[in-house]
Amino acid sequence: MKPRRRIALFGGTFDPVHAGHLRIAELAREQAQLDEVVFLPCQQSPHKESRCIATAEQRLSMLKLATTEPWMKVDDFELHQPPPSFSVDTLRHFLKAQPNVDWHWIMGSDQWLALPRWKEPEVLAQHLTFLVLPRGQAPEIRMGYHMQVLVGEHPASSTELRDEANPHFLDPAWLPPRVRDYILTQKLYLPFSSSPLARANRTE
């Protein structure tokens, strides 16, 4: 009988993917002894009201450029589902596709705090080990949930990378070189008033 593999799902908008995301994946792989980390760009997060600036295709392309290690995978399952993207639906897809796996889910402590309000959290708790990166105070243990605290940090922020007024706007220290080149070539994250998305919104 083949040994069970250990795989983590890592969901997000990745608008854009940055060095912090890659660092979190690396911490999870090392500390939870994972075989694989699957990056899952979502169509629309049910926990965020703001729309993505980059298109789904652009976010997927940036992830493929950023994930250069053999244990890093990118899956576009959620991009083909009607929004919003619910984690429990994604989990059921992967449980069916790969049953002989110990599944994990990578998240920040803010998501861990909100987890009981997610869709069908009891199903998530039954099938997942949550790998939680603290942001400030350590996450509290929750009855009925399997959780491992990740030790490490990452300063990068997608919001700051997109903000022309921020010192870290398109910061090369925070972006994989090929992702930054793609952003510049695609003219992504221009000042909002002049971006293609802003012009499209004015005509709606």
Side-chain angles (χ1 to χ4, degrees):
M1 183 175 178
K2 293 178 62 175
R4 293 176 66 86
R5 302 184 72 216
R6 296 169 63 83
I7 302 177
L9 303 175
F10 189 5
T13 54
F14 301 110
D15 188 22
V17 59
H18 54 62
H21 295 127
L22 304 181
R23 178 59 178 156
I24 293 171
E26 185 178 27
L27 292 172
R29 175 178 176 262
E30 292 173 351
Q31 295 174 30
Q33 299 180 321
L34 301 173
D35 297 296
E36 194 172 286
V37 174
V38 180
F39 291 78
L40 286 163
C42 68
Q43 186 71 264
Q44 171 62 48
S45 170
H47 314 294
K48 293 183 179 179
E49 295 182 0
S50 59
R51 293 171 61 182
C52 292
I53 294 176
T55 66
E57 292 77 12
Q58 288 170 328
R59 292 183 289 118
L60 183 63
S61 294
M62 287 189 282
L63 274 169
K64 289 179 177 179
L65 289 170
T67 51
T68 56
E69 297 294 335
W71 52 269
M72 294 177 173
K73 308 297 180 184
V74 179
D75 194 290
D76 62 356
F77 168 76
E78 291 191 350
L79 297 181
H80 297 286
Q81 307 307 306
S85 304
F86 290 108
S87 300
V88 70
D89 298 331
T90 301
L91 173 62
R92 286 190 172 110
H93 164 75
F94 281 96
L95 286 173
K96 183 177 180 180
Q98 300 184 62
N100 192 37
V101 167
D102 290 330
W103 288 103
H104 299 66
W105 197 286
I106 299 172
M107 60 173 50
S109 53
D110 52 342
Q111 295 172 309
W112 171 251
L113 187 64
L115 188 58
R117 300 192 296 275
W118 288 19
K119 182 181 178 183
E120 299 183 63
E122 68 282 355
V123 176
L124 298 173
Q126 180 183 354
H127 295 285
L128 289 170
T129 297
F130 299 94
L131 306 176
V132 182
L133 185 74
R135 292 170 182 167
Q137 189 174 358
E140 294 184 359
I141 295 173
R142 183 176 293 130
M143 291 294 293
Y145 290 75
H146 302 284
M147 186 267 289
Q148 178 178 341
V149 178
L150 298 178
V151 179
E153 61 182 16
H154 72 97
S157 159
S158 295
T159 302
E160 292 184 28
L161 283 164
R162 296 193 304 263
D163 182 3
E164 190 192 27
N166 191 283
H168 291 291
F169 176 63
L170 300 186
D171 187 341
W174 282 7
L175 287 168
R178 295 203 299 169
V179 172
R180 191 171 189 273
D181 289 344
Y182 179 88
I183 289 171
L184 295 175
T185 300
Q186 295 286 312
K187 297 181 171 59
L188 280 171
Y189 313 122
L190 297 170
F192 185 74
S193 60
S194 62
S195 71
L197 179 60
R199 291 197 297 271
N201 286 343
R202 285 202 295 269
T203 62
E204 290 178 355

